[in-house]
Amino acid sequence: MKRQRTDENDDLGLPWHKLADGLPHRLKRSRDFPDTDQKAVRKAATRAANKMQKVVRVVPDKMARNRDDFLWVQFADYEINLGDPCRCGGRQILRFHEYFGRCVACNAQLILVSPDAVESEAEDMYEWDGNKYGW
Amino acid sequence: MTSTTPDRIPDGHGQRTARVADLFGEHGAADVEFVPFVVAGSGPVAVSDYHPLPFRALVEAWRYRKVGWTVFRSVLWAKLTQARLGPTWIVIQSFASMVGFAFIFGGAIFSVRTPGGMPYILYSMVGMMGWQLFQQTMYMSMRGFRAVKVVQDLPLPLLWVPIVGSAAGLVRSLVGMMFYVGFVLYFWITGGTLYLQLSPRLLGISAAGLGLCLMAAWGVGMWLAPLYAWAIDTRYVLRLAMPFWMFVTPVLYPLDQLGPHMRILVQLNPLTAPIEMIKVGLLGTGSVHPLALVVSLTLLTTIFFSGIWFITRYGYRLAALRKGVDSDDDQDDGMML
């Protein structure tokens, strides 16, 4: 089936502000987002995150039989490399997941990036990165 | 535009905080873009694992309840559609286990006498209702880290892993309860006797018994899920222990048919009181001894809260050891053991 092409600045009509509550949200193709490429959703989420001065993590749903149809989206306040301080200068990070932590000083939710993954991110920022995103 | 500027930020030494408005000016402080304020040379960054206490873990799990429900449905759908016959297997398995035990213990091999001469199949189904809720939910909970793969990508509180992982076990138990209702209706229509208590108080006692069985299943599951993710031996140990545990629980026989010494021993089993509560509530037979109730409530509460502590303290570390292992192997066929 031919999928819709999306505009470069298209937000895909998703309520990004509602989704940016710090909790993960599962999005389904044709119900929550248009029948388009997952990359377009990821780009739209990244643009929305930039507008809100946040960061976002978008991963396909491993549990779904058709991984192409489901996405998990989770916004956070900042993204930092493991070992770096928080943007507020806080040097104590509570890690509650391999890719998520919280700054003790400012309580910001952080996406933690392994330094090894940063180099590969530059090579292809819109391809799924196994080192960074865990598969 | 919503600003993410914090109200206060550290003063650079990590001990005191300063108001952002004091640093950037009162007016417009919330509208200016927050400039990264990283102080160099203040010592290494400490990244420590977060291990909330059980009550705090429960509060955080409640905050993620919508996510938990979404994952629950996803796990259930995956289980229901993994076989060619789909959910038919749940119906077949529930029926076979309930009727099979009734056949063996109700006359084919053993002849267990039931109180008041009620049909043995109804008596055993009520006992099996509680036992299967415990057993199947626990088995599925144990496999939580294999079923809930999304936990590798998302910070779902680990408390949710055995709970949502047990989705298929809960549905199977629910199907078993529907079979029981079907048999009650059958004996009512054909024999004219309704083997069911309709008093709300007694039905409440049954519901409490089922609730305790569920609490036991999730409590044990919270211990076993990380251990199973770490070592498959957990399953082998359980395979040996579960039949023994079932026969020292008054599931298929009335408690008063045991000798006095054996009865005291069985009453120390934390599942005896919940199973007896279900029988008292639904059939009006059985008895809940105060000793059994105290032992059950004490042990089950301890198991449940220590399970929360264990899974939040060690769950991630133990489960991460198996990261990257393909869980769709022949060891995880969706069967109970």
Side-chain angles (χ1 to χ4, degrees), chain B residues 203-226:
Chain B
L203 289 176
I205 291 173
S206 279
L210 289 169
L212 285 174
C213 288
L214 197 57
M215 186 180 172
W218 283 340
V220 177
M222 280 183 231
W223 276 94
L224 295 182

Side-chain angles (χ1 to χ4, degrees), chain A residues 57 62 91 93 95 97-98, chain B residues 43 46 48 50 152-153 316:
Chain A
R57 190 154 181 274
K62 282 181 180 175
R91 308 185 82 81
I93 309 292
R95 190 179 193 178
H97 185 267
E98 187 165 1
Chain B
S48 46
Y50 177 55
Q152 292 172 0
D153 295 327
Y316 187 70

Side-chain angles (χ1 to χ4, degrees), chain B residues 146-159:
Chain B
R146 288 179 167 224
V148 190
K149 295 173 193 165
V150 75
V151 79
Q152 292 172 0
D153 295 327
L154 301 170
L156 185 71
L158 292 189
L159 184 55

Side-chain angles (χ1 to χ4, degrees), chain B residues 247-329:
Chain B
F247 288 114
V248 295
T249 308
V251 176
L252 297 168
Y253 53 85
L255 197 55
D256 56 17
Q257 288 190 9
L258 296 174
H261 296 297
M262 192 64 191
R263 196 181 305 170
I264 290 174
L265 192 68
V266 168
Q267 279 172 346
L268 294 176
N269 175 355
L271 284 176
T272 296
I275 297 286
E276 287 295 296
M277 285 166 75
I278 298 168
K279 289 181 188 171
V280 168
L282 287 179
L283 298 173
T285 65
S287 59
V288 185
H289 194 279
L291 169 71
L293 190 61
V294 169
V295 167
S296 181
L297 287 175
T298 308
L299 282 177
L300 294 184
T301 309
T302 307
I303 290 169
F304 187 76
F305 283 96
S306 65
I308 294 175
W309 168 81
F310 183 74
I311 200 167
T312 49
R313 183 74 182 78
Y314 295 106
Y316 187 70
R317 194 187 303 173
L318 291 173
L321 290 176
R322 292 181 67 87
K323 191 178 162 188
V325 174
D326 186 6
S327 59
D328 296 329
D329 57 10

